[in-house]
Amino acid sequence: MGTCICPIDAQFFDQVAALLTPPTLPQIQEYFEVLEAKRHCSGLKVKPDAKHGKGVHSEVNFQEDDLILKDEMLVGAQHSSNKIDCFVCSFCFRFIGSIELQIGRKLYLQELGVSAVDGSGSSDGIGCNTSSEKTRIPQDTIQSLMNSNLQLPYSENFPLPLVVPCLGGCKEAYYCSKSCAEADWDSFHSLLCIGHGSSSPSTEALLKFVKHANETNDIFILAAKVISFTILRYRKLKAAHVQREGKHDSSNQFDSCIFPLLLEAWKSVSMGFKRRWWDCIALPEDVDSSEKVEFRMQIKDLAFESLQLLKEAIYDKECAPLFSLDIYGHIIGMFELNNLDLVVASPVEDYFLYIDDLPVSQKKEVENLTKPFLDALGDDYSISCQV
């Protein structure tokens, strides 16, 4: 691909610039003071500094084991390759279903020949076979695990929340509770759902976007969630504005008169430090410094391809500036610079460790039932959820 040109960048130059203008120190202070009050962050203060940026400061002496902060992430997504190994809530990433379902689902996908691109697990020395020596489990046994017709010994000591389906009927998102399903739907998923109840103008285009992200870089999924979050928040703010001020007819076109609502919807995203992705991404070891410019252009072209697919799927004329390549690049760059990996320990690993720690008098009989499943999983039994 040659140099990519996004017409939205030129058409909405002023609005894009306004969205990307860093907030002032007083604006940052005000934003976090409101957030601290909502989160009841006793003893913590976020203080912006012109030289070092934002910092979290303690105002009390915390004791060992004190809970310092409990908060929701702005946006998160399970790595696409990890979905094969870990069946978790699509909003809070808690493992769901049952120990039997977790094991059965993984073995079922294993039998289909599906494997994680970068899945990794290490033996804990509890007697499981390596991946090359995996035992095969009959299909009817796997189905019995998945259908709750077969219960493993002591699995009741590791209860997991029931599986709640997506509100839009897709088969990609599942949840640990109705509240998580509703929160994800209201915040992100209603625009990104590929089910019959999706708000996306084109679920076919959305499938192409997801396929492209899975084949190239799943950081695009995070960027899509940010744009979806902002659009949905904008719509809520606009509905409240219309109810308060009276009917407003924008003919589904971008209207500068209500641009402040888009700025408000974007506020939480504006607080993150940003640079364009293709400017801040680290140069891979196999790319020579003489090829740096070409590499960064390839990254920019890749982002443009992703953006075009996303635009076909969820474009909203009233939020047109969000589909600027400059905005998209800064969103991805924000994750490149600020992302934190979240690892959720697997209850399947805990289960097999529990079995291994049973008294010898109980262990032999129990392992006659559980060891074939452990051997079938191999080293993959211990893979955690990776977000």
Side-chain angles (χ1 to χ4, degrees):
M1 182 187 289
T3 303
C4 43
I5 299 173
C6 180
I8 289 178
D9 284 283
Q11 186 179 356
F12 298 102
F13 179 85
D14 291 339
Q15 290 82 8
V16 169
L19 288 166
L20 293 178
T21 299
T24 64
L25 290 182
Q27 288 173 330
I28 295 172
Q29 189 74 57
E30 180 187 6
Y31 173 82
F32 282 103
E33 283 177 356
V34 172
L35 194 62
E36 289 159 11
K38 287 181 179 178
R39 299 290 191 266
H40 305 290
C41 299
S42 178
L44 290 180
K45 274 286 182 186
V46 176
K47 298 179 182 179
D49 179 272
K51 182 179 180 181
H52 300 291
K54 300 179 287 293
V56 180
H57 298 257
S58 170
E59 298 190 324
V60 299
N61 291 321
F62 288 102
Q63 302 300 311
E64 186 177 351
D65 295 329
D66 281 353
L67 177 63
I68 297 174
L69 176 64
K70 184 177 180 180
D71 196 10
E72 294 178 7
M73 63 185 78
L74 175 63
V75 60
Q78 184 183 12
H79 289 295
S80 55
S81 58
N82 185 246
K83 291 181 178 181
I84 296 160
D85 295 296
C86 302
F87 189 37
V88 300
C89 175
S90 297
F91 188 70
C92 73
F93 308 108
R94 182 182 182 185
F95 280 79
I96 54 178
S98 64
I99 294 296
E100 288 82 3
L101 177 58
Q102 292 286 337
I103 294 172
R105 177 179 175 274
K106 188 182 292 193
L107 292 176
Y108 174 74
L109 294 173
Q110 186 175 289
E111 284 293 311
L112 288 179
V114 180
S115 61
V117 174
D118 60 352
S120 61
S122 60
S123 172
D124 261 318
I126 65 171
C128 67
N129 286 337
T130 62
S131 299
S132 59
E133 302 169 335
K134 288 179 179 178
T135 301
R136 294 197 65 173
I137 302 294
Q139 272 295 321
D140 58 345
T141 303
I142 292 174
Q143 290 295 330
S144 293
L145 280 174
M146 296 174 65
N147 297 333
S148 302
N149 293 327
L150 174 61
Q151 183 176 353
L152 297 176
Y154 297 104
S155 65
E156 67 275 7
N157 294 341
F158 300 86
L160 299 177
L162 295 175
V163 177
V164 176
C166 163
L167 298 182
C170 79
K171 302 299 182 184
E172 296 296 319
Y174 295 90
Y175 303 93
C176 67
S177 63
K178 184 180 178 183
S179 59
C180 270
E182 290 174 345
D184 196 30
W185 186 260
D186 291 342
S187 299
F188 311 103
H189 193 61
S190 57
L191 267 181
L192 300 176
C193 178
I194 56 174
H196 58 80
S198 175
S199 300
S200 168
S202 173
T203 54
E204 184 178 344
L206 198 52
L207 281 168
K208 291 179 181 177
F209 166 80
V210 172
K211 183 174 185 292
H212 178 268
N214 288 340
E215 291 174 350
T216 56
N217 195 324
D218 56 10
I219 202 170
F220 295 137
I221 301 293
L222 286 174
K225 293 186 82 167
V226 168
I227 291 177
S228 175
F229 168 82
T230 308
I231 291 173
L232 292 171
R233 178 153 172 72
Y234 161 79
R235 290 176 181 175
K236 291 173 188 174
L237 291 171
K238 182 190 171 187
H241 173 81
V242 170
Q243 187 176 26
R244 187 173 58 251
E245 304 294 335
K247 187 176 180 182
H248 177 89
D249 182 15
S250 62
S251 302
N252 200 33
Q253 299 289 329
F254 179 78
D255 189 336
S256 58
C257 294
I258 54 175
F259 180 63
L261 298 179
L262 187 58
L263 280 174
E264 179 64 25
W266 172 259
K267 183 183 284 187
S268 56
V269 185
S270 73
M271 295 294 156
F273 180 75
K274 302 177 190 67
R275 288 182 62 197
R276 294 182 187 90
W277 184 41
W278 44 90
D279 291 336
C280 68
I281 188 172
L283 205 65
E285 291 182 2
D286 60 347
V287 176
D288 190 84
S289 58
S290 63
E291 301 172 325
K292 179 171 67 174
V293 174
E294 182 183 356
F295 169 75
R296 297 200 183 284
M297 281 306 304
Q298 289 173 349
I299 292 296
K300 184 177 181 180
D301 288 346
L302 186 64
F304 183 68
E305 289 175 15
S306 173
L307 177 62
Q308 292 304 101
L309 292 169
L310 183 63
K311 183 183 174 185
E312 288 178 26
I314 66 169
Y315 183 68
D316 185 326
K317 291 180 180 179
E318 293 187 37
C319 300
L322 295 179
F323 295 88
S324 141
L325 181 58
D326 211 17
I327 291 285
Y328 200 58
H330 275 84
I331 292 173
I332 303 169
M334 176 178 69
F335 289 117
E336 187 75 27
L337 295 169
N338 300 288
N339 231 9
L340 294 174
D341 287 334
L342 174 66
V343 176
V344 183
S346 168
V348 175
E349 179 183 16
D350 293 339
Y351 171 74
F352 283 116
L353 290 173
Y354 177 88
I355 298 299
D356 192 54
D357 286 339
L358 286 173
V360 176
S361 58
Q362 298 172 253
K363 184 176 175 181
K364 186 174 181 180
E365 182 179 353
V366 170
E367 281 194 333
N368 286 335
L369 296 171
T370 62
K371 198 169 187 305
F373 296 111
L374 180 60
D375 288 343
L377 293 170
D379 292 343
D380 293 347
Y381 86 95
S382 62
I383 292 179
S384 302
C385 172
Q386 298 162 7
V387 179

